[in-house]
Amino acid sequence: MSDLRARIRYSKEYPSVYIGHLDTVRELERSMRRAAWPFKLTSGFNPRVKMSSIPPLSLGYLSYAEYLEVSLNSIPGDCQIGEFETSQPEGLEIISVEIIYPGEESINDIIEGYRYRIEISQPLETKPDNPAVLREEGKGFLVIDILKKDGNIKNPAKFIDQRIFKKVVKTECIFKSKEKKQ
Amino acid sequence: MKKEKLGKIFAAVQTPGRYTGSEYNAYKYKNERFRFLLCYPDDYKIGMSSLGYHTVGKIVSSHIDFAVERCFAPAPDMEKIMREEKISLFSLESKTPADKFDLLGFSVHHELSFTNMLNMLDLAGLHPMRAQRSHKDPPVIAGGPATVNPALLGEFADLMVVGEGEGIIPGLLDRFTSSGSKEEFLASAAELEGVFVSGKSSSVRITPYLKFDDSYVPCGQPVPCVSIPHDRINIEISRGCRGSCRFCQASVIYAPYRQKTPERILDIASASVASTGCDEIALTSLSATDHENIIEIMDDMHYAFRDLGVSVVMPSLRPEDFSGKFASGLSRIRRGGLTFAPETPSQRLKKIINKNIDNEKILEAARQASLRGWRKMKLYFMIGLPSETMEDIEEIGRFISRIKSETEMKNITVSLSAFNPQPHTPLQWVIPGDPEVLAEKERRIKKIVRGTVKGIDIQSHIISSILCRGDSGLGNVVYEAFREGARFDQWGEHFDYSAWERAFNKDGKDIMEYYFRDFSRLKELPWDSVETVAGKDYLEKSYRIVLKLIGERTGV
């Protein structure tokens, strides 16, 4: 992506965990419009805001590492960013807004995988195979890393029986080693 | 209700975002003296698309003594859990049980949502029938287009706001604040113009709200957090209609024609975009291009919002708009499908229903629009019109073939509806079409039209026809239908005709007898208690013209 962009990191907690991915992205777009952000539009008969996000989070999962990138015509002012950060519905919170300059890699290019902390109702009976990596197994919880190189699979339920899930939290994105971890 | 319990419920239902109440701009309780629960007897997605619903929310929340919260009909999966877990109907915002509110207001847009209203009352722990509720229960108010026949709705609601609510609701709320009891409130409300109190009022007059330009607009309305059919800012640029189609209730109950100034429209649009962030503005009215400043309005909108990616749509265009002065303005609006409602291609029937859309103009519009790149077209036809024959039906097929051969429109959808005689229209005395004949006509159209045909749910049409002209004697039937499981009767996937059959049978009534009821023999119609601006004399005069055109003798 060669545009000037804003990289937005946000969290999803109750009750916004029950709002689907596309609806969440639309909500963020609306809050940018409320704050009159100088975003870039696609060309064509029905112009849309030019943006991209990381793969969708499953409904009901909490997350502290959701990312969205929006193309800009210019850098929004501090007031516009402040207004954007404070005009979110309950359960959506903006963690950071970072300006990405043309030529820099997009968020999807620098992410290597996702880390989840899962509260479980009973101990794990069988260990998951690759590509899911069981990073930590504690009393009543697991931490697993799912890496994109192993098939771009992002849902922990693909590796572990989700019937034992009590609460799933995406705690962070794992970035490629050259990149600064966020 | 605790967060954990709610979480479990939300995880078990479809589209839980409908129940979270977490939207941006959701209403907030600020210790106001009274709490008003604004109920919509249909799904969240339908209610949140309704301009009328949001407008009432704005009016009530503007009152210093009232806090508003919202509530919608729970979908069947949610209702099942609520009944199993004994969870009372609750407000979206604070999850407060509905019966704890001081007033319950229902925005009733259609008679097929009556069973949902009853279901919501029942889930709230209130008896659905007005007569069975006690003086301790909160008053149940109904508003919206369905109140123009208060006879049947009055069996469920304690009082109805009939006609345009802007001028009535603030005074009604004042009466509530100064009343010591439900009885005192109802007695006091009965004195207000535009209010019909069930069991107390004998008549009510629809009073047009003449300060239309300054009327309440729902800027800062809750922004839906799930996608909904009309996910946009609706701006009512005019009210009323310059036309006078004889089947149309809206042109009678929203008379006279009024419009907002271009400056006011732009102010509303700017405030709404800033407070909601929506990317679409719909200029709504019964016919948007009737507004005398429509070109100026469209230009203003285009230049004000183009950099924010906000597009403008006009849901109601007329064929003549595609040629002449408005044609250049079309490039300013979002290009969707081209939609017209000729109702019938038969000139004879057009004359009977007084629908002045010329077939040639539709053809010309299709030609002009196809030159500008439009390829999709949707046409609404009404079948079962008075004196309609199979020859009139054949004309639909010929008309569609002409459009296909003479224009570039390749994707044509024909959407059918069955003529439903509505109260307060000149055709209110007409007996609706025989369901078997309607089915035959529908089959014929599907055979002769080269394109997609969206058919009619004839059984749903039968119930809708009966209820819209229903009298108080049908109150028990609707209650029985609710008890038999009727819900979401407007939704094809949920509508259950057998529940209605059982309800009619239980009450010793015959469905078809009600359907074929001859209202021209009645001196008093169930909705005569409502006086419109046009008046019954005008309707009778217009009906006589219809009878003359059909060649029958007038019985009125």
Side-chain angles (χ1 to χ4, degrees):
Chain A
M1 220 188 231
S2 58
D3 292 336
L4 175 73
R5 283 158 285 152
R7 180 174 296 163
I8 296 151
R9 179 178 177 180
Y10 63 97
S11 63
K12 265 180 104 173
E13 291 179 282
Y14 179 87
S16 283
V17 292
Y18 297 107
I19 309 301
H21 176 72
L22 291 176
D23 293 329
T24 305
V25 169
R26 195 188 51 221
E27 191 52 59
L28 292 165
E29 179 194 323
R30 285 179 171 173
S31 44
M32 284 179 234
R33 191 175 285 107
R34 289 196 284 268
W37 271 34
F39 43 52
K40 211 169 204 170
L41 301 174
T42 58
S43 50
F45 287 123
N46 298 323
R48 302 271 173 201
V49 178
K50 213 171 163 186
M51 53 189 181
S52 64
S53 70
I54 61 171
L57 180 75
S58 296
L59 202 67
Y61 289 3
L62 278 78
S63 176
Y64 297 100
E66 291 305 296
Y67 286 89
L68 177 77
E69 279 187 358
V70 58
S71 295
L72 300 168
N73 287 319
S74 58
I75 297 172
D78 289 347
C79 286
Q80 286 170 306
I81 292 176
E83 200 181 327
F84 167 71
E85 288 174 337
T86 52
S87 80
Q88 298 302 327
E90 193 185 346
L92 267 192
E93 200 173 315
I94 305 300
I95 297 170
S96 64
V97 176
E98 187 188 354
I99 300 299
I100 307 294
Y101 290 91
E104 289 185 44
E105 284 179 297
S106 76
I107 184 75
N108 280 309
D109 291 335
I110 59 171
I111 284 182
E112 200 170 44
Y114 313 97
R115 180 163 297 154
Y116 292 88
R117 186 182 194 281
I118 305 167
E119 284 181 24
I120 49 174
S121 55
Q122 61 187 71
L124 202 58
E125 282 177 8
T126 49
K127 304 278 183 213
D129 302 329
N130 267 342
V133 178
L134 185 59
R135 190 182 167 84
E136 194 183 342
E137 189 175 359
K139 198 181 172 191
F141 75 91
L142 309 170
V143 175
I144 68 165
D145 286 351
I146 302 176
L147 299 180
K148 272 167 74 176
K149 69 177 169 62
D150 296 316
N152 201 17
I153 295 166
K154 59 200 178 298
N155 191 345
K158 298 271 182 194
F159 312 104
I160 298 164
D161 182 359
Q162 61 177 327
R163 283 174 294 187
I164 67 166
F165 289 4
K166 278 170 71 184
K167 185 176 168 186
V168 182
V169 185
K170 187 192 207 177
T171 52
E172 60 186 296
C173 288
I174 303 161
F175 290 89
K176 286 178 183 168
S177 56
K178 280 183 188 173
E179 299 293 331
K180 183 185 155 192
K181 288 203 173 184
Q182 306 214 9
Chain B
M1 232 184 305
K2 283 190 177 165
K3 207 166 102 173
E4 290 72 27
K5 189 173 182 182
L6 278 170
K8 274 189 183 166
I9 296 170
F10 293 158
V13 296
Q14 283 191 340
T15 327
R18 291 179 287 182
Y19 309 104
T20 58
S22 59
E23 305 99 320
Y24 184 72
N25 284 341
Y27 295 107
K28 285 190 175 65
Y29 177 54
K30 296 173 202 143
N31 284 318
E32 287 90 344
R33 277 172 71 201
F34 302 105
R35 301 177 80 179
F36 187 105
L37 185 62
L38 184 57
C39 307
Y40 196 90
D42 208 320
D43 188 73
Y44 173 92
K45 295 180 178 187
I46 309 297
M48 285 295 283
S49 298
S50 162
L51 174 63
Y53 181 76
H54 290 301
T55 306
V56 176
K58 178 76 177 180
I59 297 171
V60 179
S61 62
S62 301
H63 195 290
I64 192 160
D65 288 323
F66 279 87
V68 178
E69 293 192 36
R70 291 164 299 144
C71 185
F72 300 89
D77 60 345
M78 184 62 158
E79 185 196 340
K80 190 167 175 275
I81 293 175
M82 289 170 78
R83 291 200 182 276
E84 281 169 2
E85 308 267 327
K86 296 193 172 24
I87 298 167
S88 177
L89 186 77
F90 56 86
S91 65
L92 250 56
E93 278 83 356
S94 66
K95 315 290 182 287
T96 304
D99 62 338
K100 301 286 180 253
F101 282 78
D102 298 292
L103 280 173
L104 264 59
F106 281 85
S107 186
V108 192
H109 285 235
H110 200 275
E111 54 282 345
L112 288 180
S113 54
F114 285 172
T115 52
N116 276 356
M117 176 179 171
L118 269 53
N119 189 32
M120 290 172 79
L121 289 170
D122 187 62
L123 283 167
L126 302 169
H127 201 288
M129 300 300 282
R130 170 183 56 85
Q132 302 297 319
R133 291 196 292 270
S134 85
H135 65 279
K136 287 180 188 161
D137 293 328
V140 175
I141 302 173
T147 60
V148 294
N149 176 10
L152 176 52
L153 190 52
E155 291 297 294
F156 322 123
D158 293 302
L159 74 84
M160 281 152 282
V161 173
V162 183
E164 301 172 19
E166 292 103 323
I168 306 165
I169 299 169
L172 184 67
L173 299 176
D174 285 343
R175 296 283 172 123
F176 184 82
T177 59
S178 56
S179 300
S181 66
K182 181 176 171 183
E183 278 311 300
E184 201 184 318
F185 167 58
L186 294 178
S188 169
E191 296 165 1
L192 291 172
E193 195 160 342
V195 173
F196 189 92
V197 178
S198 313
K200 282 193 171 64
S201 304
S202 54
S203 67
V204 63
R205 189 180 158 78
I206 292 180
T207 311
Y209 187 65
L210 295 175
K211 291 184 273 180
F212 177 66
D213 193 43
D214 295 325
S215 65
Y216 291 88
V217 285
C219 293
Q221 68 199 45
V223 183
C225 53
V226 298
S227 48
I228 62 170
H230 296 158
D231 198 352
R232 61 200 189 191
I233 297 160
N234 287 302
I235 304 177
E236 189 187 18
I237 62 168
S238 64
R239 191 175 288 176
C241 184
R242 293 191 196 274
S244 50
C245 302
R246 291 196 177 97
F247 59 86
C248 178
Q249 188 184 60
S251 62
V252 177
I253 63 175
Y254 296 117
Y257 182 81
R258 290 147 284 167
Q259 55 185 37
K260 284 192 165 71
T261 58
E263 298 75 30
R264 173 80 171 139
I265 293 167
L266 189 63
D267 279 352
I268 296 168
S270 303
S272 298
V273 171
S275 61
T276 65
C278 285
D279 65 352
E280 190 173 291
I281 297 172
L283 304 178
T284 68
S285 82
L286 291 171
S287 174
T289 47
D290 275 354
H291 196 294
E292 57 195 30
N293 306 104
I294 190 67
I295 303 281
E296 184 186 339
I297 294 166
M298 302 226 9
D299 282 346
D300 286 352
M301 295 274 177
H302 179 70
Y303 292 115
F305 303 118
R306 62 181 173 176
D307 292 339
L308 286 174
V310 178
S311 56
V312 179
V313 296
M314 297 216 297
S316 55
L317 290 174
R318 288 190 171 158
E320 48 269 40
D321 302 330
F322 282 76
S323 51
K325 65 166 188 167
F326 189 69
S328 60
L330 290 170
S331 58
R332 301 261 192 271
I333 61 174
R334 177 174 282 185
R335 186 171 309 185
L338 188 65
T339 303
F340 297 123
E343 314 299 356
T344 170
S346 153
Q347 281 307 125
R348 186 184 67 83
L349 288 180
K350 276 183 203 284
K351 231 173 162 184
I352 287 173
I353 61 172
N354 203 29
K355 181 95 188 186
N356 300 316
I357 291 189
D358 192 61
N359 292 347
E360 294 307 316
K361 280 187 179 162
I362 296 175
L363 271 163
E364 182 54 25
R367 267 185 221 112
Q368 292 294 334
S370 55
L371 286 176
R372 290 180 174 85
W374 305 54
R375 291 290 176 271
K376 271 163 85 176
M377 190 172 190
K378 190 173 185 182
L379 293 166
Y380 285 94
F381 292 102
M382 203 181 265
I383 62 170
L385 290 166
S387 81
E388 182 182 77
T389 63
M390 280 313 256
E391 178 50 31
D392 299 313
I393 297 297
E394 299 288 337
E395 269 197 57
I396 296 177
R398 289 197 289 272
F399 185 53
I400 301 298
S401 298
R402 263 194 83 188
I403 298 173
K404 283 207 161 178
S405 60
E406 294 178 28
T407 74
E408 294 295 314
M409 289 292 168
K410 295 299 170 212
N411 184 348
I412 299 179
T413 301
V414 168
S415 187
L416 299 177
S417 66
F419 165 63
N420 185 353
Q422 296 280 331
H424 305 294
T425 65
L427 298 180
Q428 63 184 354
W429 289 280
V430 170
I431 297 171
D434 185 326
E436 283 179 20
V437 178
L438 289 175
E440 175 56 31
K441 287 174 177 171
E442 185 188 3
R443 278 194 295 273
R444 184 68 195 144
I445 292 169
K446 284 182 173 169
K447 208 171 172 187
I448 57 178
V449 167
R450 290 155 47 206
T452 314
V453 178
K454 285 191 178 167
I456 311 160
D457 185 333
I458 290 178
Q459 292 181 328
S460 165
H461 158 73
I462 292 171
I463 301 302
S464 167
S465 256
I466 294 171
L467 298 185
C468 79
R469 296 190 296 175
D471 54 26
S472 56
L474 283 173
N476 209 41
V477 173
V478 179
Y479 178 54
E480 285 301 333
F482 147 69
R483 281 164 50 105
E484 290 290 336
R487 309 277 191 277
F488 292 93
D489 296 307
Q490 244 178 311
W491 297 53
E493 66 265 45
H494 298 306
F495 177 68
D496 178 8
Y497 188 65
S498 65
W500 285 95
E501 280 182 317
R502 290 193 296 276
F504 271 87
N505 287 340
K506 264 191 180 176
D507 213 51
K509 292 184 170 73
D510 182 78
I511 289 193
M512 295 322 287
E513 205 174 286
Y514 263 85
Y515 179 73
F516 288 121
R517 204 170 166 194
D518 187 356
F519 283 87
S520 69
R521 292 178 184 277
L522 301 180
K523 272 195 172 169
E524 287 276 313
L525 299 170
W527 52 93
D528 274 353
S529 54
V530 176
E531 196 186 326
T532 62
V533 172
K536 202 175 173 185
D537 289 348
Y538 158 76
L539 302 181
E540 283 177 350
K541 221 166 140 184
S542 185
Y543 180 54
R544 281 197 201 97
I545 297 170
V546 171
L547 293 177
K548 206 174 159 193
L549 288 167
I550 297 173
E552 284 180 15
R553 282 188 166 196
T554 170
V556 182

